[in-house]
Amino acid sequence: MRIVVVGASLAGVRTVEGLRRRGGDADVVLIGAEPGSADGVAADRPPLSKAFLADPAVAAKPLTDRDRLGALGVELVTGRAVDLDLDRRRVGLHGGETVVFDALVVATGSTPRTVPGLEPRPGVHVLRTAADAAAVRAACPTGARVVVVGGGFIGAEVAWTLHSRGHAVALVEPLPALMVRGLGQELGGALTGRHAAAGVDLHLGAGVAAIEGEERVGAVRLTDGTALPADVVVLGLGTVPETGWLTDSGLDLRDGVVCDERLAAAGAEGVWAVGDVARWRHPRLGEDVRVEHWTNAVETAGVVAANLTGTPTVHDAVPYVWSDQLGARLQVFGRVRPQDEVRVVVGDLDGSFVALTGGDGLLRSAVGFGATKALLPYRKLLAAGAGWDEALSAA
């Protein structure tokens, strides 16, 4: 049995570690192509938009290295996968090499989204890898004027981190509040007000018409005509699953590798997907989902490692995401749907709080800001499938 894992970021690394932890004598190969990494292994990503970006003394921490993998009996191959031949059971690499497999785990993650006119160039950055974060940090000397485009979790984190370093930061978001897709209008609006009160220059409800400048960026012109002076632009436009190398493979690729509840790729024997690239049928939610967060990468790796070592397992964990900004930790368990009712059950939206959202008679999510301990009971209620009235009566 030869198991090949393509992608050496969190989900891929945790998959090979999980396989070895669970025993078995399969040959295990990890293929990595992280940009800026000599051996193709990624750094831990969450600090890149926070501590690493804020402090030049902080080093990026690789998830593993060749020696540690060797000690586990895992072969590390450095190279970028460019195609998959399911009939011949082999992965093709950029340099012309091929890697054969009996079982394949797709762990190629996601890549920053760009749109025409908003692509990286001198002065314009994305933030995904340690090399990206180092470039942003180096481009922001004291007094740099920064424009962040995109007000999701990453955009809000980057804006807050650079603002905390003393930079003049403007944040552009076409929606009427920050983090609306993850928090909904009411909760996103509450944190938007805090960013504004702290001094982040917010431009909501406007898009980017052009990034101006010849050899380097000079300004960002918005669709409402506003011109924002800029020395540095950071694009936070979300991500797309890294499936280009699978285009001709025959796999079902609809915003990720489509999988069943065990994370087995649809219609492809012996192929699995983990992390950002996996779109699976979530038993708890009853729909196909794709989740781009640290915890999901770890959980999916565990599920696939279990399935590959003889323990049938489904991935039905409560979705979870966290973000450090505004001097506190924001945590979201479950999914905030735009149509659901919002109730603040601990604190208030001007301070630390826990808010619940519910709809169709069920508790749908629990959101905490600066309230980690108070949030935990509601996580348990979510996991138990609690009704909305039951959740409110527990407050």
Side-chain angles (χ1 to χ4, degrees), residues 59-76:
K61 184 179 180 182
L63 292 165
T64 190
D65 56 40
R66 192 174 296 275
D67 289 342
R68 281 185 281 173
L69 290 170
L72 291 174
V74 174
E75 179 186 354
L76 176 62

Side-chain angles (χ1 to χ4, degrees), residues 175-218:
L175 295 176
L178 305 181
M179 299 172 283
V180 169
R181 292 184 180 89
L183 297 178
Q185 180 64 44
E186 183 174 347
L187 300 179
L191 295 186
T192 299
R194 295 193 188 200
H195 276 276
V200 178
D201 181 20
L202 299 181
H203 295 265
L204 306 174
V208 175
I211 298 177
E212 300 178 344
E214 295 298 328
E215 295 184 2
R216 285 192 61 84
V217 63

Side-chain angles (χ1 to χ4, degrees), residues 8 65 78 164 197 204 218 228 233 246 268 274 314 331 348 350 361 375 380 384:
D65 56 40
T78 301
S164 301
L204 306 174
L228 302 175
V233 176
L246 299 170
V274 291
V314 302
Q331 297 171 280
D348 60 66
D350 294 324
L375 185 63
K380 294 177 181 177

